[in-house]
Amino acid sequence: MNSQSLFRLAAVAGMVCGAAIAVAGVLETVAGQKFPATELLNGGSVPFGIAFAVGLYLAGYERMGRFGAGAFAVHLLSFGLFAGVAYTMNFVLVHEDPAVVRLLLEGPARWAFLATAALTLLGTWLFAAALWRARTVPPVALALYVAGLTVLSLTFLLPAPVVRIGHLAAGLGMIWLAWWLRATAGRAVERSPQFS
C-alpha cells in the first residue's frame, strides 16, 4: 500500500468515526438517553479513530519531531485503552443491573477506568500540542477534536448533556481533520499547508 492510499484509508476511518460519534450525540440529545443504535455507534467507532490518528501523525511526523513521536505514542496507547472502555460501557455495562455495575466500580475496574481517562486526557492534549506546534492541520478543527475528546474521556464523570456536546465537538473536529487529511493525501509533507 502506498502512502497516498494509506492517508485516504485513514481519512475514511476518521470520517466514519467522526460521523458515528456526532450522530450518536445528536440522537441521544433528541431521545434524551442512550439506546441500542447509539450504543453501537459509540462502542464500535473508536477503532476507526485509532486508524485515523495513525494517518494524522504520518501526515506531519517530520515536522512534529521527537516530542510529536512521544505524544503520538501516548495518544495511540490511550486510544486503544479507551476503545476497550467504550466497548465495555456500550455493549456490556448498559445491559447489567445498576447494582452490579456499582459493585463492579467499587473494585479494580474503577481504577482501570480512571487510569484510562487520565491517560486519554494526557494523550489527547500531548498529541494536540504536537499537531499545533507543527502547524499543519486547521487549528479550529484541532480545537474541536481536543475539546470533544477531553469531554469524552471523562464520560462517566460528567452530566449527559455535556457528554453529548462533547460527542458533537469531537465528531465535527474529526470529520474536518479527516477531510483535511483526504485533501492532502499523496502530497509531500513539506508541501502540506501550514496554518498559523
Side-chain angles (χ1 to χ4, degrees):
M1 178 181 291
N2 61 30
S3 60
Q4 184 177 13
S5 298
L6 180 63
F7 287 143
R8 287 184 176 160
L9 185 61
V12 169
M15 289 178 194
V16 168
C17 184
I21 292 170
V23 168
V26 170
L27 291 176
E28 287 179 7
T29 300
V30 171
Q33 63 183 4
K34 285 181 172 283
F35 56 95
T38 63
E39 292 162 7
L40 178 63
L41 290 170
N42 287 326
S45 63
V46 182
F48 291 97
I50 295 171
F52 168 65
V54 171
L56 202 55
Y57 172 69
L58 291 176
Y61 77 95
E62 290 181 354
R63 290 191 183 142
M64 293 167 73
R66 288 184 182 171
F67 173 73
F72 169 69
V74 176
H75 190 51
L76 190 66
L77 174 64
S78 67
F79 235 143
L81 292 171
F82 186 73
V85 169
Y87 185 90
T88 301
M89 289 177 67
N90 287 285
F91 294 126
V92 179
L93 296 183
V94 295
H95 302 291
E96 294 293 333
D97 184 271
V100 172
V101 174
R102 277 193 301 275
L103 185 63
L104 180 69
L105 294 178
E106 288 175 5
R110 173 188 177 125
W111 299 109
F113 279 22
L114 287 173
T116 298
L119 189 62
T120 302
L121 274 175
L122 179 64
T124 297
W125 281 88
L126 287 175
F127 190 53
L131 287 169
W132 181 80
R133 285 178 52 191
R135 302 250 191 259
T136 55
V137 300
V140 176
L142 182 61
L144 286 169
Y145 179 78
V146 173
L149 288 184
T150 296
V151 169
L152 294 182
S153 68
L154 301 172
T155 293
F156 57 94
L157 298 175
L158 297 172
V162 175
V163 173
R164 291 172 190 143
I165 292 169
H167 274 93
L168 195 55
L172 292 176
M174 196 172 288
I175 291 168
W176 189 344
L177 289 170
W179 189 263
W180 169 85
L181 184 62
R182 174 75 172 87
T184 60
R187 280 199 244 168
V189 173
E190 295 79 26
R191 294 165 149 193
S192 299
Q194 286 193 6
F195 296 90
S196 54

